[in-house]
Amino acid sequence: PERRRLMDLAPGGPGLPRPRPPWARPLPDGAPGWPPAPGPGSPGPGPRLGCAALRNVSGAQYVGSGYTKAVYRVRLPGGAAVALKAVDFSGHDLGSCVREFGVRRGCYRLAAHKLLKEMVLLERLRHPNVLQLYGYCYQDSEDIPDTLTTITELGAPVEMIQLLQTSWEDRFRICLSLGRLLHHLAHSPLGSVTLLDFRPRQFVLVDGELKVTDLDDARVEETPCAGSTDCILEFPARNFTLPCSAQGWCEGMNEKRNLYNAYRFFFTYLLPHSAPPSLRPLLDSIVNATGELAWGVDETLAQLEKVLHLYRSGQYLQNSTASSSTEYQRIPDSTIPQEDYRCWPSYHHGSCLLSVFNLAEAVDVCESHAQCRAFVVTNQTTWTGRQLVFFKTGWSQVVPDPNKTTYVKASG
C-alpha cells in the first residue's frame, strides 16, 4: 500500500517523463472504430466508444497508477471528459515480469489480463454505483500488438480528509451509495461478488455519488470449506468465524467481507459525525451492527434507506422547531451580500451555508447560533431537495436579488 501511495504522489519521479501511453500514438489509417476483443469474455453491446474516439483527444493529464495500470484524464473531440486506463509500461507488474522472464509481449498480456477482467466486470455489473464503461480500444503499440485501453466515466478521487470536512448530508450520501453498491454486489447476475482490495482509493465520486472503479481484484466465487475453521474472515483489528454450509461453501463470506470493510473504511468515520441528533441512535445502530457483522447487506441497506426517508421527509425534526417565539421579518427578492460568519460543517468555507427542510428549521438553526441575526433562503437545493440557506450576523445592507428571500429578526 505504501508503494502504491508513493506511485500516486510521484507520477514519473523527478525529471522522468512517463512513457507515452498506447492511445496517445497515432492510429493507422483505416483503423476500426470499434474493434472486438479477442477471444471469449468480450463485453456486451453496451459500450459505444472505440479507437476512433481517441484520434483527437486533448488535455491529457496523468491521474495516477498502481502496480499494473495507469489512469489518464482526456477530453474527447465532442468536449466530454473521460478516463482512459491502460497497462503502465513503467509499472511494477510489467517491469518485474520483464526483469524475471525477459518476454515483454508475454508479460504485457499477463498484466493486461487484469485490465480485461476489470472491463468485463464493469460491463456485467452495470449499476448507478459502478463506474460506467464507455468503450475500449485495441491497437498496436511499439513492439506489442493489440494493447488495450479502456474508456470510462471520469470521477474524482475519494479523499477522506476532505470528506470529513463536508456536510453530514453529503457524507451520508456516500454511505448510502456504498450500501446500495454492496446490495447489488451481493445479488449480482454473477453471484455474490467481493472486493478483495477494498480501500477508498478503489472508489471515485461522480456528482456526489460513490462509484467503484477498480474491479481487477474482485472475486465471484465463495470460499470452499470442510468446516467452520476454513471460514475465518481476518481483519487487522479482529477476526470472524462464519458457518460452513452443507454444500461446502463459507456462508455469506463475500458479502460479510464487503460489509465489514465498508464499516472500517467509511461508516465509522462518515455516518455519525455531526448528524442530526434525532438520527444518531439509528446511525449508531448501523455502525455497531456492521462492525459486529450482526446484519447482512439487506438489513443494512434497509436501515440506510430509512434514514434517508426520515431526513428527506422532515420527520427527524420531532417538533424541535415549534418552540421558537422569535419573530422574523420577511423581505422578498433580496439578499445580504456581506455580514457572513463561519460555521461547521458548511457548504461554503467562507460563510455559514447550510441546508434546511423548511422555514421553521431555518429559524431553529439561526436561534441556535449566537451570532445569527438574519438568514437568506436561496432557490438552490441539495440532492435530497432541501433548500440552501445563508446565515448572517446582521442586515445593515440588503440588496435586491430575485432568486433569494431574506429573513431578519424583528427588533424588540
Side-chain angles (χ1 to χ4, degrees), residues 138-354:
Y138 279 97
Q139 63 188 89
D140 295 344
S141 174
E142 296 178 350
D143 58 330
I144 300 177
D146 292 332
T147 61
L148 172 62
T149 300
T150 60
I151 311 168
T152 70
E153 190 175 20
L154 180 68
V158 174
E159 302 288 352
M160 294 302 292
I161 299 295
Q162 295 179 8
L163 290 182
L164 292 173
Q165 302 175 42
T166 61
S167 69
W168 175 83
E169 187 175 347
D170 286 347
R171 284 184 275 117
F172 171 71
R173 185 182 188 182
I174 291 171
C175 294
L176 178 63
S177 298
L178 186 54
R180 290 170 173 171
L181 171 65
L182 297 192
H183 182 270
H184 173 65
L185 294 180
H187 304 284
S188 84
L190 302 178
S192 182
V193 179
T194 191
L195 305 177
L196 296 178
D197 191 1
F198 193 119
R199 293 171 295 160
R201 60 170 288 141
Q202 312 303 119
F203 300 85
V204 295
L205 291 173
V206 180
D207 297 328
E209 286 279 330
L210 188 74
K211 301 194 177 195
V212 64
T213 176
D214 206 332
L215 289 173
D216 60 347
D217 289 316
R219 188 177 72 186
V220 177
E221 302 83 7
E222 291 282 11
T223 302
C225 59
S228 59
T229 55
D230 298 324
C231 300
I232 299 177
L233 264 180
E234 296 182 345
F235 296 99
R238 64 179 301 181
N239 298 335
F240 298 90
T241 301
L242 302 179
C244 179
S245 71
Q247 292 75 33
W249 301 98
C250 296
E251 291 187 8
M253 180 168 276
N254 284 354
E255 173 183 335
K256 293 296 179 71
R257 179 184 284 109
N258 287 343
L259 196 56
Y260 189 79
N261 278 326
Y263 155 78
R264 70 189 185 109
F265 285 116
F266 289 92
F267 293 169
T268 190
Y269 299 110
L270 303 182
L271 264 184
H273 192 52
S274 70
S278 62
L279 292 177
R280 281 296 298 269
L282 180 53
L283 294 169
D284 287 341
S285 69
I286 295 173
V287 173
N288 293 335
T290 53
E292 296 295 327
L293 290 184
W295 293 346
V297 296
D298 292 356
E299 181 63 22
T300 301
L301 178 58
Q303 295 301 318
L304 288 169
E305 296 285 2
K306 180 179 179 181
V307 173
L308 174 63
H309 172 71
L310 293 174
Y311 189 68
R312 178 176 273 166
S313 65
Q315 294 182 35
Y316 75 98
L317 293 172
Q318 296 181 335
N319 297 324
S320 61
T321 59
S323 58
S324 176
S325 59
T326 305
E327 293 186 2
Y328 284 75
Q329 178 185 352
R330 180 176 182 271
I331 308 176
D333 299 326
S334 66
T335 188
I336 303 171
Q338 298 178 351
E339 301 184 73
D340 290 304
Y341 65 92
R342 292 184 179 182
C343 64
W344 190 87
S346 170
Y347 283 92
H348 190 277
H349 292 299
S351 59
C352 187
L353 178 62
L354 303 174

